[in-house]
Amino acid sequence: MPRRSKIFGIGLSKTGTTTLTQALEILGYRAVHFPRSDREIEFCDAATDAPVAAIFEQLDTRFPGSKFIYTVRDREQWLRSCEKFYSIRRRQPDDIALDLRRKFYGQAEFDRQRFAAGYERHHERVTSYFMDRPGDLLTLDICGQDAGWPALCAFLKKPVPDTPFPMANKGVMIDEIVLRLLHVVGDVDRAAAIASVTRPYAERLYKSAEFARHDPERPLSFDASAKTDKVIARCCSCLGGAASVATQLKLPKHVVRKARSRHRRRKLIKHMSRKMPLSVYWFMKRSGAKLIR
């Protein structure tokens, strides 16, 4: 029995793959970001990020008639984004992520020259493979000129939805929260631990001009992203609860409580996904997403 066609996002990490996944979900597809098993790819309508980009040729054979979306980004912007991402993360990546980095770039740690070369190799691989099949590939600069629905919806033959185009991971204000924590706790190691960033990253901010300019009495802005929700939840655990965090970070109490609640829901859904059938997980994810928003 032939397998149904799917949609595959084959851009490298940090090229807008999370945004693409969210956009596909809004369009009605069951989309998985960074699938960690063949089971996830089989179950969902769409899959994105490095695990998909690594094997897109095999997926093309396995799922005839599929559509491929190649997310790209200005190379210098992409390199800066990768450098920041790998310098800020305190938690070590798992074996799947490490293996993929070695496959694309020759090593797991960020190196500007190796990552730039890996980006170019992948670009050549994608463009060469689809050279004679322009109708099957959409090259999309989500982080730049192609941000929005028109190109994506036209490619997938879907009507443009009456909802804003998602921009995941854009404008995340981790730097501002870390700067505030540095002022509040007065210690680089503790601020780094609370914010779950590396010590060198926190120390660089501590020595920067931004730290001197930062006003700890000014109300802290807040973007309600998954990353900031996670940091606020950690602050609640380390700084005496939601009321204490609201006072110290100069945030309204209800904002802190909602951020903590959203983070707990995300953790619960992620934890349960490992122990339940994908069909049940997908129902939970969609229901949970509505609650999170």
Side-chain angles (χ1 to χ4, degrees):
M1 181 177 178
R3 289 170 169 169
R4 75 180 193 273
S5 61
K6 296 180 182 290
I7 299 166
F8 294 114
I10 59 174
L12 297 175
S13 298
K14 312 310 295 178
T15 61
T17 56
T18 303
T19 292
L20 175 62
T21 307
Q22 293 181 4
L24 292 171
E25 288 180 344
I26 292 171
L27 292 175
Y29 299 103
R30 289 183 299 191
V32 58
H33 179 255
F34 207 97
R36 295 179 177 277
S37 69
D38 191 65
R39 175 170 158 261
E40 287 186 275
I41 294 175
E42 287 276 0
F43 177 78
C44 289
D45 306 314
T48 69
D49 212 295
V52 180
I55 59 169
F56 72 82
E57 298 97 337
Q58 296 95 304
L59 294 172
D60 185 31
T61 301
R62 285 174 56 195
F63 302 96
S66 292
K67 294 290 187 180
F68 294 81
I69 301 170
Y70 174 38
T71 47
V72 297
R73 191 171 182 181
D74 174 81
R75 196 179 72 171
E76 289 304 310
Q77 289 184 1
W78 178 76
L79 286 168
R80 288 195 297 271
S81 180
C82 289
E83 183 174 18
K84 182 175 182 179
F85 179 77
Y86 294 127
S87 68
I88 194 173
R89 285 173 65 89
R90 188 182 185 93
R91 180 170 57 88
Q92 290 298 311
D94 59 21
D95 290 341
I96 294 174
L98 290 173
D99 287 344
L100 286 166
R101 289 188 205 172
R102 295 186 185 105
K103 177 180 178 65
F104 285 117
Y105 314 119
Q107 64 182 54
E109 301 76 23
F110 177 78
D111 178 271
R112 188 178 180 82
Q113 289 186 336
R114 284 179 176 267
F115 272 55
Y119 185 96
E120 293 303 323
R121 281 195 303 272
H122 185 63
H123 181 76
E124 175 62 26
R125 179 178 157 214
V126 172
T127 54
S128 296
Y129 187 83
F130 289 99
M131 184 179 299
D132 300 321
R133 297 168 52 191
D136 294 334
L137 178 72
L138 172 66
T139 300
L140 199 61
D141 183 1
I142 283 181
C143 302
Q145 62 185 7
D146 295 330
W149 291 114
L152 180 62
C153 290
F155 179 68
L156 298 175
K157 296 180 173 56
K158 287 277 190 175
V160 174
D162 186 21
T163 186
F165 190 77
M167 289 306 292
N169 297 333
K170 184 174 182 178
V172 174
M173 44 162 295
I174 297 299
D175 282 11
E176 189 174 350
I177 295 179
V178 176
L179 288 168
R180 181 61 53 89
L181 283 171
L182 287 167
H183 280 277
V184 168
V185 304
D187 180 82
V188 171
D189 288 315
R190 189 167 180 228
I194 293 172
S196 193
V197 300
T198 61
R199 189 188 192 284
Y201 187 81
E203 187 173 28
R204 179 182 65 77
L205 286 176
Y206 181 69
K207 294 178 179 179
S208 70
E210 285 82 1
F211 177 78
R213 291 196 298 265
H214 186 83
D215 179 6
E217 297 303 316
R218 178 176 56 81
L220 192 66
S221 58
F222 192 75
D223 65 1
S225 69
K227 290 182 181 179
T228 51
D229 283 350
K230 178 181 179 180
V231 176
I232 293 300
R234 290 181 60 84
C235 288
C236 290
S237 298
C238 300
L239 299 178
S244 175
V245 169
T247 300
Q248 294 184 72
L249 299 190
K250 302 298 184 291
L251 282 168
K253 290 181 184 177
H254 73 277
V255 169
V256 174
R257 290 187 176 120
K258 285 183 177 179
R260 183 177 61 182
S261 179
R262 286 192 299 265
H263 176 67
R264 286 174 174 173
R265 288 192 190 104
R266 289 187 182 99
K267 281 188 68 177
L268 177 61
I269 293 171
K270 183 176 180 180
H271 175 73
M272 293 182 70
S273 72
R274 299 167 182 163
K275 301 182 178 182
M276 62 174 60
L278 279 174
S279 57
V280 178
Y281 163 63
W282 192 257
F283 173 78
M284 287 283 295
K285 181 180 179 182
R286 286 196 166 174
S287 301
K290 292 177 182 177
L291 290 171
I292 287 168
R293 293 192 187 100

